[in-house]
Amino acid sequence: MERYEVAVIGGSVAGLTVASELARRGISVCVFEEHCEIGEPEKCDGLVSLNLLRRFGYQPSLGTIQDMIKRGVLHSPSGKELSFETGRMELAVLDRSLYDMQLCKTAEYRGADVRTGIRVKKFRPEGASFEVITEREAVNAGFVVDATGPSSAPRQGIIPAAKYELEADWIDDSSFHVFFDQVYFPGFFGWIISSGKKRAKVGAAGRGINPFYSLEHLLLGKEYKPIKKIGSPIYVGGPSYPFSEGRLVKVGESAGQVKPTTAGGISLAVASSVIAARWIADTIASSNIRLLQNYQKDWVSRFGREMRLMLSVRKFFESLSNSDLNRLFSVAVERGMDKYIEGADFDFHISTIVRRIGIRNIVNIAGISLASLIKSFF
Ligand SMILES: Cc1cc2nc3c(=O)[nH]c(=O)nc-3n(C[C@H](O)[C@H](O)[C@H](O)COP(=O)(O)OP(=O)(O)OC[C@H]3O[C@@H](n4cnc5c(N)ncnc54)[C@H](O)[C@@H]3O)c2cc1C
């Protein structure tokens, strides 16, 4: 039976980054991806801030960037708009298939063995290692990394979503639009993200809805040429601890490493995979399995606070009605909230916005009692 120090299940952004980092450190690693082509089928819209990706060493190549976003517009249920510049956030719209291929090439160049078209059926402990069983073969691995995405994420955090890629004259190039409406997108929103040259990724998600129906509502009366239609759930439930148990490690969406506010998971998957690989490598080098617990500790020290804030904001947002949202928008527009959003960090947006506005002002703006805000936070 072939032997690897690490077997990774799932060859998408998290699995490929962790494999790339392990291979870079000279660790033998194999990735199993059930689909025949890396990056396919593409389900993600690829809106990402370049900041965190660059910081963790996985900046997208120019060829993977479809558009740079310069403006964001938030729409209230009644049609009021809050528009802001996004230049300082360095927002790019990626071709996710191409970005995943870039990650795959890097991982292979560094020595990872990436096997496509192979689904892992199960894995079972065998002494101090695992037997990983696929449809075709079995390999032995000292550690298993679960990077299988939403299929292993906790059910309660999953929301149905659908998206179209389309071409139309009315598309506002280099911008994204977010539409709030608790009837059509309960607990989430609809979105239009420009991918340049009058093309866009248009989506809808919400609890307990048929997202295709809400998407049709968003596009009502608009002419467009569809390019692709896809239904795929998003995850907003927050981190799924523990990130490791014995020699089994979770990364990316299977560990819930996704922003609970926007369901954005690309940059967090990359950052978390770099952190996970560092601790897996140290554990292998020291033969001290306890070291692996530092992966979660390290992650929580960097992202734990923002995740908790995002989960609180999500809980609060889900409690709002359309009339609450309309009122909030009116006050936000009146008081020029756009300038506070403009300087925010896209990946740590709640803490930066809260810091800029100040909690007392937020309470004033929202017109809600401090007690109800605090209650929603806990
Ligand atoms: C409609 C939609 C829009 C999105 N838009 C954005 C966005 O604009 N910006 C952003 O940052 N994030 C976005 N996301 C979220 C982002 O796509 C995910 O957070 C990210 O892809 C998670 O990466 P991952 O590697 O953890 O999991 P995934 O990308 O889900 O990859 C898991 C991989 O594991 C493979 N796999 C699963 N089981 C097995 C098995 N048993 N054997 C072998 N292979 C297996 C799958 O085939 C898949 O390739 C969006 C998601 C959706 C659904």
Side-chain angles (χ1 to χ4, degrees):
M1 199 187 297
E2 271 183 289
R3 155 110 193 137
Y4 291 90
E5 286 170 290
V6 182
V8 179
I9 312 173
S12 179
V13 63
L16 293 166
T17 307
V18 85
S20 190
E21 284 293 296
L22 291 169
R24 185 170 73 81
R25 292 175 160 90
I27 289 167
S28 65
V29 53
C30 175
V31 180
F32 293 105
E33 168 51 48
E34 64 184 341
H35 292 105
C36 295
E37 269 180 69
I38 292 293
E40 296 294 341
E42 191 196 43
K43 48 184 185 146
C44 168
D45 289 333
L47 179 64
V48 77
S49 160
L50 297 178
N51 198 354
L52 203 59
L53 293 183
R54 191 182 301 125
R55 191 135 57 88
F56 281 85
Y58 288 87
Q59 176 154 4
S61 67
L62 273 183
T64 65
I65 297 177
Q66 298 174 315
D67 202 5
M68 288 301 295
I69 298 294
K70 298 197 176 74
R71 196 169 75 99
V73 188
L74 309 181
H75 299 256
S76 76
S78 65
K80 218 178 208 40
E81 293 183 7
L82 183 66
S83 167
F84 50 94
E85 301 297 317
T86 59
R88 283 205 272 166
M89 297 181 193
E90 286 194 281
L91 294 186
V93 181
L94 304 183
D95 179 321
R96 254 305 292 276
S97 298
L98 289 184
Y99 183 57
D100 285 13
M101 276 189 251
Q102 175 191 330
L103 295 176
C104 183
K105 280 190 192 142
T106 309
E108 286 183 317
Y109 176 75
R110 291 173 172 177
D113 184 1
V114 181
R115 301 184 186 185
T116 52
I118 301 182
R119 179 174 170 73
V120 171
K121 288 207 296 196
K122 59 179 174 185
F123 54 88
R124 56 173 173 239
E126 215 186 51
S129 57
F130 287 100
E131 187 183 6
V132 180
I133 300 158
T134 75
E135 293 147 331
R136 296 189 208 158
E137 59 193 332
V139 301
N140 182 276
F143 291 79
V144 164
V145 175
D146 174 352
T148 56
S151 51
S152 338
R155 292 289 99 195
Q156 69 275 16
I158 288 183
I159 294 186
K163 73 156 197 176
Y164 293 174
E165 282 188 40
L166 50 86
E167 220 171 77
D169 285 342
W170 47 262
I171 291 165
D172 194 7
D173 277 349
S174 303
S175 73
F176 74 79
H177 292 252
V178 170
F179 299 85
F180 294 102
D181 188 315
Q182 301 285 36
V183 175
Y184 287 99
F185 320 111
F188 207 71
F189 47 79
W191 65 92
I192 299 176
I193 301 171
S194 151
S195 50
K197 299 179 185 150
K198 296 288 169 202
R199 284 188 170 204
K201 304 175 190 191
V202 181
R207 290 199 192 273
I209 57 161
N210 174 344
F212 285 100
Y213 176 78
S214 297
L215 191 42
E216 286 297 335
H217 168 76
L218 190 61
L219 291 167
L220 204 66
K222 292 186 164 78
E223 275 190 33
Y224 62 90
K225 184 174 144 204
I227 300 166
K228 196 155 89 178
K229 296 186 176 185
I230 195 161
S232 183
I234 50 169
Y235 178 78
V236 293
S240 162
Y241 302 124
F243 290 166
S244 66
E245 278 176 288
R247 293 166 174 271
L248 173 64
V249 178
K250 295 185 291 187
V251 288
E253 202 148 316
S254 69
Q257 292 160 343
V258 179
K259 290 179 227 167
T261 44
T262 62
I266 301 170
S267 48
L268 262 184
V270 166
S272 310
S273 300
V274 171
I275 299 167
R278 184 236 151 142
W279 289 107
I280 295 170
D282 281 6
T283 306
I284 292 173
S286 68
S287 304
N288 176 5
I289 195 73
R290 286 211 190 141
L291 263 193
L292 203 46
Q293 290 168 6
N294 288 334
Y295 159 38
Q296 184 173 314
K297 285 187 195 147
D298 192 348
W299 191 93
V300 169
S301 73
R302 295 169 196 247
F303 302 113
R305 182 170 176 273
E306 180 70 16
M307 279 284 158
R308 285 195 301 277
L309 278 170
M310 286 185 185
L311 281 168
S312 302
V313 168
R314 149 152 301 284
K315 201 169 159 197
F316 176 61
F317 169 65
E318 291 204 23
S319 73
L320 298 177
S321 65
N322 271 354
S323 53
D324 292 333
L325 279 170
N326 285 331
R327 192 169 46 79
L328 229 134
F329 254 81
S330 297
V331 185
V333 171
E334 220 170 82
R335 303 210 180 177
M337 284 301 110
D338 49 328
K339 63 180 181 290
Y340 294 106
I341 303 175
E342 275 165 13
D345 179 321
F346 189 67
D347 290 308
F348 293 86
H349 50 261
I350 302 298
S351 39
T352 45
I353 292 174
V354 168
R355 206 177 309 129
R356 286 171 69 84
I357 304 180
I359 196 82
R360 194 180 289 271
N361 277 332
I362 291 179
V363 174
N364 285 340
I365 290 159
I368 48 177
S369 76
L370 187 59
S372 70
L373 186 71
I374 289 170
K375 207 169 126 209
S376 78
F377 277 5
F378 294 96

